[in-house]
């Protein structure tokens, strides 16, 4: 038998190129080689081999799959091929927080919670989360880049978003656990830190079938502790409250009823609770939950959904948001919004995001907020975020527009190291000031604030590596197999989309305050009426055609056509006359009467209430024609 070579092949057999899985196994063996590495994650973006296998393009993009390597498993790939997924079930515990509120008789517990930096979570959590909206954004999340891939580029939730929306610390010690907790260890931790008995702890973990405890169990056993209780009982109740708090917010898992006991270790020393980077851990955990939800077979989304929903409200305020006018900038930005379930379906939101324009994005929503809460320097940190066994990359260089800078082509995303290398990750995080983007890496600031500019070659590169449109045009609502190529763009609008567009126009004008002129309000009502009537020509016949309506987009208030009264044609009227009325044009099926010159504006001022309107004067030709037609109809 011929001798076998080191690669496993016989000496006389033809050699073949190793497959991708074999090459990854070889890389794994190299990673566990005991040869010391001075700084194995110092430059993680250069860890990849230059001889990587080349992927073929996917239907609908990306053409170059060297970035989105797992896109064939993504829910967006299935949607493009005609499969669909219902809206995700959301794990939101905003209502459960109100079942355990700290009153005046629990002041000692509240003082500890306040020092921990987690007190804002007790009031800023949204009770309602929109399934269609969050599900549509999950379809655009890409695990390799930890960003949302929008039609015009990448966006993501940054550490600046976490600090502004939640007001919890984003700097401090990394939340890390040496190893996953076993059930026996969880029982011992409950006895030691919560003062329960062995029987109670074992019964609870057995009911959860995991090293976890139910949120209801925590409330039943510790919510009645007051300042009159013993010091030990107050300490146990404080730990239980903090565990209940993070289980309902930062680390809400898909069990929807329980929280992992391992987080109780973070509350062993109550004086050190405020030293952790809770915001960074929350972001890493949400990144992982979004990554899991991109798989087609997944039907549920966990994580702190208030953070995700408020981020959408902040950056897409013209599409989804409903602001609270009583908000002040000293409070967390999550309280700026009134959470509501949008009336649109998942299909409608999906189509709206596919048509989204760059002018509809609020790139820098925290300009006013940063007067009291400046941008944290750690928001420019480029590296890994960690929460227990969860390690996720953080790439601010991919979303420079969210910081007011011109977007350039970012470097390749790096693969995070394994969670068991926690010491190296913690050392890297502790020296985060050495790993922030330099001024050269940030580039130039945008010429105009919030313009969302990018270098000319960015979009050509983004077209190759991204999946910009989730759904192909032939699968959108309003299209048929025979006429999909001949329909105009506005024919794809559904009734709920038109209603949303009209509400957006009205909401923008209302948010401008009462100082605006009557013409501005009247123009907005006219244009909204044209949208709801299903005919954009109604408003277009009386005003300058709006590019926003033609493309189904909603530009910023400064660029909306109805913000300029000069774009409307008004008849000369006395100052005492009421506002003019607009007579809509006839339907398309009825031919208008011919005229020799250009038609006058279809605007008729109303007559005074006391004077009957005069009968319209008809010429002899017109009256004769009417008479003859009536006479013939009578004979027939």
């Amino acid at each position: 038998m011929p001798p076998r070579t080191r690669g496993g092949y016989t000496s006389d057999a033809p050699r073949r190129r190793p497959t991708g899985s074999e090459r990854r196994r070889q890389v794994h063996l190299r990673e566990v080689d005991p040869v010391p590495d001075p700084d194995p994650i110092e430059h993680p973006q250069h860890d990849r081999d230059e001889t990587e296998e080349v992927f073929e393009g996917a239907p609908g993009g990306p053409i170059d799959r060297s970035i989105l390597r797992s896109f064939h498993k993504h829910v967006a790939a299935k949607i493009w091929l005609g499969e669909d997924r219902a809206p995700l079930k959301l794990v939101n515990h905003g209502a459960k927080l109100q079942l355990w509120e700290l009153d005046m008789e629990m002041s000692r517990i509240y003082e500890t919670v306040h020092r921990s930096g987690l007190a804002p979570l007790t009031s800023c959590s949204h009770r309602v989360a929109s399934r269609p909206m969050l599900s549509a954004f999950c379809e655009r999340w890409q695990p390799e880049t930890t960003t949302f891939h929008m039609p015009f580029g990448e966006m993501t939730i940054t550490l600046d978003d976490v600090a502004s929306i939640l007001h919890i610390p984003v700097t401090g010690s990394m939340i890390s656990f040496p190893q996953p907790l076993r059930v026996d260890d969880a029982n011992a931790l409950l006895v030691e830190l919560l003062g329960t008995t062995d029987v109670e702890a074992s019964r609870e973990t057995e009911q959860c079938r995991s090293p976890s405890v139910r949120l209801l169990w925590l409330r039943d056993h510790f919510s009645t502790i007051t300042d009159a209780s013993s010091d030990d009982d107050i300490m146990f109740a404080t730990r239980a409250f903090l565990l209940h708090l993070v289980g309902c917010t930062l680390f809400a898992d898909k069990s929807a009823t329980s929280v992992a006991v391992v987080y109780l270790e973070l509350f062993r020393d109550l004086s050190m609770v405020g030293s952790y980077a809770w915001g960074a851990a929350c972001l890493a955990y949400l990144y992982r939950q979004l990554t899991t939800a991109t798989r087609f077979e997944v039907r549920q989304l966990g994580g702190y959904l208030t953070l995700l929903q408020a981020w959408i409200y902040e950056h897409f305020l013209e599409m989804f948001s409903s602001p609270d006018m009583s908000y002040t900038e000293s409070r967390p930005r999550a309280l700026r919004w009134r959470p509501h379930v949008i009336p649109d379906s998942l299909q409608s939101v999906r189509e709206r995001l596919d048509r989204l324009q760059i002018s509809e994005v609020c790139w820098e929503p925290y300009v006013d907020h940063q007067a009291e809460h400046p941008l944290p320097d750690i928001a420019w940190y480029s590296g890994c975020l960690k929460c227990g066994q969860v390690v996720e990359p953080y790439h601010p260089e991919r979303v420079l527009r969210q910081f007011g800078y011109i977007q350039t082509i970012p470097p390749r995303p790096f693969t995070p190291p394994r969670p068991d290398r926690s010491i190296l990750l913690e050392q890297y995080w502790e020296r985060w000031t050495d790993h922030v983007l330099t001024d050269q890496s940030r580039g130039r600031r945008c010429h105009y604030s919030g313009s969302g500019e990018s270098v000319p070659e960015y979009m050509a590169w983004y077209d190759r590596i991204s999946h910009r449109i989730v759904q192909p045009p032939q699968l959108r609502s309003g299209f048929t197999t025979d006429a999909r190529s001949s329909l105009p763009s506005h024919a794809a609008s559904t009734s709920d989309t038109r209603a949303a567009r009209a509400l957006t126009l009205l909401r923008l004008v209302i948010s401008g305050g009462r100082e605006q002129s009557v013409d501005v309000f009247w123009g907005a009502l006219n244009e909204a009426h044209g949208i709801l009537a299903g005919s954009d020509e109604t408003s277009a016949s009386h005003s300058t055609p709006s590019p926003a309506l033609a493309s189904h987009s909603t530009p910023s208030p400064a660029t909306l056509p109805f913000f300029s009264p000069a774009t409307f044609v008004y008849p000369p009227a006395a100052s005492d006359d009421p506002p003019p009325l607009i007579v809509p044009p006839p339907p398309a099926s009825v031919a208008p009467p011919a005229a020799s010159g250009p038609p006058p504006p279809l605007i008729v001022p109303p007559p005074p209430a006391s004077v009957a309107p005069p009968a319209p004067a008809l010429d002899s030709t017109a009256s004769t024609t009417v008479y003859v037609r009536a006479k013939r109809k009578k004979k027939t």
Side-chain angles (χ1 to χ4, degrees), residues 278-340:
W278 294 104
C282 170
L283 192 57
Y285 192 84
L286 181 59
Y287 279 3
R288 179 60 58 86
Q289 294 295 319
L290 288 169
T291 296
T292 305
T294 60
R295 296 298 176 253
F296 183 76
E297 63 276 6
V298 176
R299 297 293 184 267
Q300 205 170 7
L301 176 64
Y304 196 20
L305 300 186
T306 295
L307 174 60
L308 175 59
Q309 185 164 256
W311 179 85
I312 296 174
Y313 288 160
E314 291 286 352
H315 291 82
F316 305 92
L317 67 164
E318 297 178 6
M319 294 182 62
F320 306 109
S321 60
S322 178
D324 184 356
M325 297 304 177
S326 63
Y327 170 79
T328 58
E329 295 295 345
S330 60
R331 303 159 67 194
R333 270 299 181 99
L335 298 174
R336 183 189 179 192
W337 309 105
R338 293 177 178 175
H340 62 286

Side-chain angles (χ1 to χ4, degrees), residues 53-77:
E53 53 187 309
V54 179
F55 292 93
E56 297 180 357
I63 301 174
D64 178 7
R65 284 177 54 195
S66 61
I67 303 296
L68 307 183
R69 300 165 64 91
S70 63
F71 184 74
H72 61 286
K73 301 178 182 178
H74 201 281
V75 61

